[in-house]
Amino acid sequence: MGNDQLLPAYNVQIGVADEFIAVIDVNQYRSDMDCFVPLMEEFHEVYGAYPKYPVADAGYGSLNNYIYCEQHGMEKYMKFPMYKKETKDKKYHTNPFRPINFRVDENGTIRCPNDRAFKFIYRHLVRGNLYGRQEEVFECEDCQGCPLAEQCKKTPKNKRISLSRERNNMYQEVQDNLESIHGALLRMNRSIQAEGTFGIMKHDRWYKRIVRKGIDSVKAELYLVALGYNLRKYITKIMRIRIAA
């Protein structure tokens, strides 16, 4: 990359609890979303249970992972990709031209900001979804002569929108969890512990390169690094307790 940073080859995942590395996994997936389930399965294999509150950043939030959490008794505290924009950008959140903000009348008909009706066209499976999630596609009855057309759409055709009520409901549940007092404490704790652990390993301990090749050898190397980290953390805590006593 030309800036002395680690080139991507293996996707290293760690789970931190009470400042200690509880689980570690190595994958060759490009996306963190694909690494969530293998890490949780690794945790289950080691401890015989799943974590109650798996907190993670927006790289891990997807409907696949949320449904996986539901199936395994885990609460949903992973941010979804647009979480920051949804919660911090008021202009984006209240944008009247976002399909999720379109009004639904007493007959269940979706209506745009100019009060024109949308009719249902078809359903289609969402690509990459493992649980058969579908989206519904709607089309405006007539966009001709609409004074809001330039703001609302980019093509001369009638506007089409795709909606997934299941996804929207799931995202709202996740947002409610994360915005609660408990969720705020979990998010703060994650940013301190998880990010701090990587910071100590990479910068304080100067571990910036994996020296072995092959995923099994890489896992063995990282297990040793995690073991050394946990031992040092444990001894430091013991010494602090003795000094305080």
Side-chain angles (χ1 to χ4, degrees), residues 10-11 20 38-39 73 86 153 194:
Y10 297 100
N11 198 329
F20 292 93
L39 185 67
E86 284 278 4
K153 62 191 185 76

Side-chain angles (χ1 to χ4, degrees), residues 134-151:
Q134 295 182 338
E135 284 187 342
E136 296 177 331
V137 178
F138 298 84
E139 183 178 295
C140 182
E141 59 183 356
D142 185 15
C143 289
Q144 289 186 358
C146 177
L148 304 177
E150 290 187 2
Q151 299 171 266

Side-chain angles (χ1 to χ4, degrees), residues 208-225:
K208 296 186 177 182
R209 296 289 186 273
I210 295 172
V211 300
R212 290 171 172 79
K213 295 181 180 180
I215 194 165
D216 291 334
S217 297
V218 170
K219 283 184 178 181
E221 177 181 329
L222 288 165
Y223 289 155
L224 291 173
V225 171

Side-chain angles (χ1 to χ4, degrees), residues 191-206:
S191 64
I192 294 171
Q193 293 196 29
E195 303 296 344
T197 298
F198 270 121
I200 291 172
M201 290 169 61
K202 294 174 66 176
H203 296 282
D204 294 356
R205 302 271 72 86
W206 288 91

Side-chain angles (χ1 to χ4, degrees), residues 44-97:
H44 182 266
E45 183 177 346
V46 174
Y47 299 101
Y50 293 96
K52 181 67 174 177
Y53 303 107
V55 189
D57 62 27
Y60 299 84
S62 71
L63 198 64
N64 283 337
N65 291 341
Y66 293 146
I67 295 175
Y68 172 84
C69 286
E70 284 187 343
Q71 293 179 341
H72 295 85
M74 294 183 282
E75 300 292 335
K76 296 181 281 294
Y77 282 86
M78 306 95 70
K79 297 177 183 178
F80 46 86
M82 296 295 287
Y83 173 79
K84 185 175 182 179
K85 201 169 184 66
E86 284 278 4
T87 55
K88 303 298 183 183
D89 191 338
K90 185 177 181 180
K91 183 178 179 181
Y92 170 82
H93 184 72
T94 59
N95 183 357
F97 299 105

